Amino acid sequence: MMGQITDKLGRPIRDLRISVTDRCNFRCTYCMPKEIFGDDYVFLPKDELLSFEELVRLAKIYAKLGVKKIRITGGEPLLRRDLPHLIEALNNIEGIEDIGLTTNGLLLKKHGQALYDAGLRRINVSLDALDESFEAINGRGITANQILEQIDYAVSIGLKVKMNMVIQKGLNDDQMIPMVQYFKDKKITLRFIEFMDVGNDNGWNFDKVISKKEMIEVISEAFDIQPEAPKYFGEVAKYYTHDNGAKLGFITSVSESFCSTCTRARLSSDGKIFGCLFATDGYDIKSFMRSGVSDEALETKLTQLWNNRSDRYSDERTEETVKNRKKKKINMNYIGG
């Protein structure tokens, strides 16, 4: 057992994000806009995805190297057939202490109980508005009430739910206060995410970003919130507490980067390892595995990849870097959030 490994900037590896599919049943404007991902868009064939056996093999080795937490993402991960089998297998890996899943929530009533029975206890659900603007944002005419019903169901079966809301100036910033009020009353943690330049197709620019500072100015006029101290090294969100104990978080990749404490490796749906959400290319671990290498060789390769990691894109982001890298980054549906 090699134990904890660190990268070139001294950051330990603690988290593994696994994208299990590039498919999604939404067409959100900031991730998979329908103008690009139309009805004739060709997604990855099944044999291009890593099998559950391959994913578990990688997760076991990453656990030996220091990974404690796994997050399942997509695309929309609930579209991956037999996903509870993967959750159960990951739960049985020595050293893995926490498994979460990020979803748009639409299929929770269909799959939630099976996922819970397999050992899943935490989910993050994306919801960007409570009014009709959500229907336009998701590109499929799904209403907010449809998702809220699914969330109530998830809570009823014992899943711990956090909500994610991507804020874009002029699109859904008027929904911040209604969202805060709704989830405060439910005592469900709501996290605001600054609009990020992820992928190549979301039309990002600085003018569409509302910073954490601006959000707090608006929210503080309506609610009494108090800052919390970080709970652990590498915690992404900056949390505040309401007067009733409910939590409110901010993910500040644009205005207050957290590269210096990033402990996440990312495994894309097509089998590549990335050291950063904003990476331009990744290492094809799928081909390496399928060439018949031993677990020892695979462990050595994963160690080398992390030891050589020096990504800190959000630290370095400027108008110029965004312009130069705009058409190079991996798309969100392959690498997850």
Side-chain angles (χ1 to χ4, degrees):
M1 181 171 177
M2 296 186 67
Q4 183 65 66
I5 58 174
T6 57
D7 66 9
K8 284 187 174 182
L9 300 179
R11 298 169 293 190
I13 188 169
R14 289 277 190 270
D15 308 84
L16 177 62
R17 303 270 172 122
I18 300 175
S19 174
V20 295
T21 180
D22 60 328
R23 298 171 185 268
C24 188
N25 43 7
F26 281 13
R27 289 297 180 268
C28 295
T29 53
Y30 56 82
C31 181
M32 293 176 64
K34 59 186 177 184
E35 294 80 9
I36 306 295
F37 297 88
D39 293 338
D40 58 348
Y41 186 83
V42 179
F43 290 98
L44 291 170
K46 184 178 179 181
D47 62 353
E48 290 295 319
L49 298 172
L50 290 174
S51 68
F52 287 170
E53 291 78 9
E54 290 170 324
L55 290 173
V56 172
R57 184 186 181 196
L58 284 168
K60 285 180 178 178
I61 295 173
Y62 268 121
K64 291 175 64 178
L65 300 179
V67 164
K68 302 294 184 186
K69 300 172 70 174
I70 292 176
R71 169 69 55 78
I72 305 299
T73 69
E76 170 48 51
L78 299 192
L79 292 177
R80 180 74 185 256
R81 186 185 297 272
D82 297 325
L83 187 63
H85 295 327
L86 176 63
I87 298 295
E88 184 175 15
L90 294 174
N91 251 329
N92 289 327
I93 296 176
E94 183 179 355
I96 298 301
E97 300 172 353
D98 181 78
I99 298 175
L101 180 146
T102 298
T103 174
N104 60 34
L106 188 62
L107 299 175
L108 284 171
K109 286 184 179 180
K110 184 175 182 180
H111 299 297
Q113 188 64 59
L115 290 166
Y116 185 89
D117 293 344
L120 184 69
R121 294 294 180 267
R122 292 193 312 107
I123 61 172
N124 290 353
V125 181
S126 300
L127 181 67
D128 295 318
L130 291 177
D131 67 2
E132 63 276 2
S133 65
F134 178 65
E135 300 171 37
I137 292 170
N138 67 58
R140 288 292 193 240
I142 304 299
T143 67
N145 281 337
Q146 288 176 265
I147 304 303
L148 296 176
E149 289 173 5
Q150 302 276 341
I151 293 165
D152 287 343
Y153 170 78
V155 171
S156 75
I157 65 172
L159 286 169
K160 183 177 180 181
V161 177
K162 289 181 181 178
M163 302 302 303
N164 289 341
M165 179 181 183
V166 176
I167 304 294
Q168 293 187 58
K169 188 177 294 183
L171 180 66
N172 65 339
D173 49 319
D174 64 333
Q175 286 292 291
M176 284 194 293
I177 296 300
M179 287 281 285
V180 173
Q181 185 66 62
Y182 183 90
F183 290 106
K184 176 192 176 186
D185 292 346
K186 291 274 187 178
K187 290 196 173 181
I188 291 175
T189 298
L190 171 64
R191 306 193 303 178
F192 291 125
I193 302 174
E194 292 178 346
F195 182 38
M196 297 180 289
D197 51 322
V198 180
N200 307 310
D201 305 310
N202 68 0
W204 186 91
N205 65 58
F206 279 105
D207 294 337
K208 296 181 181 180
V209 176
I210 297 181
S211 70
K212 169 199 166 193
K213 181 176 181 292
E214 293 171 303
M215 294 181 204
I216 288 181
E217 287 175 357
V218 172
I219 293 166
S220 295
E221 290 183 3
F223 301 94
D224 178 17
I225 57 173
Q226 300 297 326
E228 287 188 354
K231 292 183 177 62
Y232 56 88
F233 181 86
E235 186 172 30
V236 170
K238 298 172 175 68
Y239 284 104
Y240 289 70
T241 306
H242 287 287
D243 50 12
N244 71 342
K247 307 294 183 184
L248 181 65
F250 299 86
I251 298 177
T252 60
S253 174
V254 179
S255 70
E256 301 174 16
S257 72
F258 37 84
C259 297
S260 63
T261 58
C262 180
T263 59
R264 288 168 291 284
R266 299 172 183 276
L267 180 58
S268 69
S269 54
D270 58 349
K272 294 184 176 66
I273 296 290
F274 292 85
C276 180
L277 180 60
F278 304 96
T280 56
D281 51 17
Y283 179 79
D284 185 0
I285 201 69
K286 177 178 64 183
S287 295
F288 185 71
M289 274 201 302
R290 292 181 181 179
S291 69
V293 297
S294 66
D295 284 354
E296 291 74 18
L298 190 54
E299 183 174 320
T300 298
K301 175 57 68 176
L302 295 180
T303 300
Q304 289 173 346
L305 290 171
W306 190 262
N307 287 161
N308 291 328
R309 175 183 184 247
S310 60
D311 302 81
R312 55 188 199 95
Y313 175 73
S314 291
D315 278 352
E316 300 167 336
R317 181 195 285 109
T318 64
E319 293 277 8
E320 192 61 27
T321 59
V322 171
K323 180 180 177 181
N324 290 342
R325 296 174 62 151
K326 189 173 182 181
K327 292 299 179 184
K328 298 179 183 178
K329 297 191 293 293
I330 186 71
N331 269 343
M332 191 80 158
N333 62 309
Y334 286 98
I335 200 172

